[in-house]
Amino acid sequence: KPFIYALALERGVIKPTDILADLPEGASGVNNADGAFLGPLLPRQALANSRNVPATNLLKQVGLDTTFRFLHDLGIHNVEAPAENFGLSMAIGSLPTTLEHLVRAYSALADDGRLSELVYAQGQPPRESKRLLSVDSARLIASFLSDPVARLPSFARYGATEYNYPVALKTGTSQGYRDGWLVAFSQKVIVGVWVGRGDAGAMKGVGGATAPARIAHALLNAIHGVKPGDIDGGRFPAPPG
């Protein structure tokens, strides 16, 4: 979803002040994970709440082929089939990918729209990057994904998805709780967490906002040297435009 929103901002399909409808009408039979609808939402809220219906409608506006190629350029997938094979389900995670590919794609949001190979260790030389998004679009998505107030009511405050320093994050839960994942980035590091069963069976209610979020929270706090009670605050840099 974050990449569909980023592409829509990049192409001028939406502005941050537009209103998106999280309603059953015109949603092509797509439902939200909670079976409910939140009504009119700003893009910030619609993405932060991970609503399926606005993302699906946005994909229709941007275009299947355009989105499919963009996700390929980001390295999320290497599928050589027509975009129509996946259709609107691309908006809710139907494309095959890996955690590594997904984390690498998020590096374009974390690095002001520039995509590069992941650097796993201190001292490893950085790789050459290529620009796939404008600074404005990348920073807007980082702002949306780092706003704990925008996540209400789908994600509670002061839990494992909230930090006392700038962190943008996106959770994911596959159908039947087969996979729970989270990608989070600060101004220092990107963390990707996947939780699942070795036999690809269903878990018992474990989604992206539970175990993966707690693991990522512990990792990021350890990397940043944050202790309980520390107050940092701050925000990601604002879009220059």
Side-chain angles (χ1 to χ4, degrees):
K1 294 187 185 85
F3 305 108
I4 294 172
Y5 279 79
L7 185 59
L9 289 166
E10 192 79 356
R11 297 295 181 97
V13 174
I14 55 168
K15 301 185 296 296
T17 52
D18 286 345
I19 299 296
L20 306 181
D22 185 24
L23 299 168
E25 297 85 22
S28 304
V30 174
N31 290 315
N32 292 302
D34 58 7
F37 301 93
L38 297 181
L41 299 169
L42 291 168
R44 171 183 294 269
Q45 298 167 303
L47 177 56
N49 277 271
S50 196
R51 306 309 285 177
N52 291 342
V53 173
T56 303
N57 290 333
L58 202 55
L59 173 57
K60 285 193 289 187
Q61 290 179 264
V62 175
L64 288 178
D65 288 331
T66 300
T67 304
F68 190 75
R69 286 195 302 270
F70 180 58
L71 297 176
H72 184 277
D73 291 343
L74 283 163
I76 289 178
H77 75 89
N78 56 6
V79 177
E80 298 299 335
E84 289 75 17
N85 286 15
F86 296 92
L88 296 177
S89 67
M90 278 193 290
I92 52 177
S94 68
L95 283 169
T97 190
T98 67
L99 183 63
E100 182 179 13
H101 292 162
L102 201 58
V103 170
R104 179 175 177 265
Y106 272 85
S107 75
L109 299 177
D111 195 21
D112 284 347
R114 296 186 298 268
L115 180 73
S116 58
E117 295 299 324
L118 296 176
V119 173
Y120 289 93
Q122 289 183 341
Q124 182 182 342
R127 309 288 181 86
E128 186 177 346
S129 62
K130 59 180 178 180
R131 179 163 297 283
L132 292 182
L133 289 167
S134 66
V135 175
D136 274 27
S137 296
R139 289 189 180 182
L140 278 169
I141 297 301
S143 175
F144 294 175
L145 295 178
S146 62
D147 185 349
V149 176
R151 296 188 199 117
L152 294 171
S154 299
F155 299 91
R157 293 291 310 273
Y158 309 117
T161 58
E162 189 161 343
Y163 295 76
N164 60 358
Y165 50 97
V167 173
L169 60 89
K170 183 71 183 69
T171 66
T173 305
S174 62
Q175 191 172 15
Y177 292 100
R178 292 189 312 278
D179 308 273
W181 60 265
L182 181 138
V183 179
F185 62 85
S186 66
Q187 291 168 294
K188 186 175 184 179
V189 68
I190 305 176
V191 169
V193 177
W194 171 85
V195 171
R197 289 169 46 131
D199 63 0
M203 298 179 288
K204 294 183 179 180
V206 177
T210 55
R214 291 194 288 271
I215 294 169
H217 199 275
L219 287 169
L220 279 163
N221 282 349
I223 291 166
H224 282 262
V226 174
K227 301 178 180 62
D230 285 355
I231 298 175
D232 184 351
R235 298 179 179 179
F236 285 106

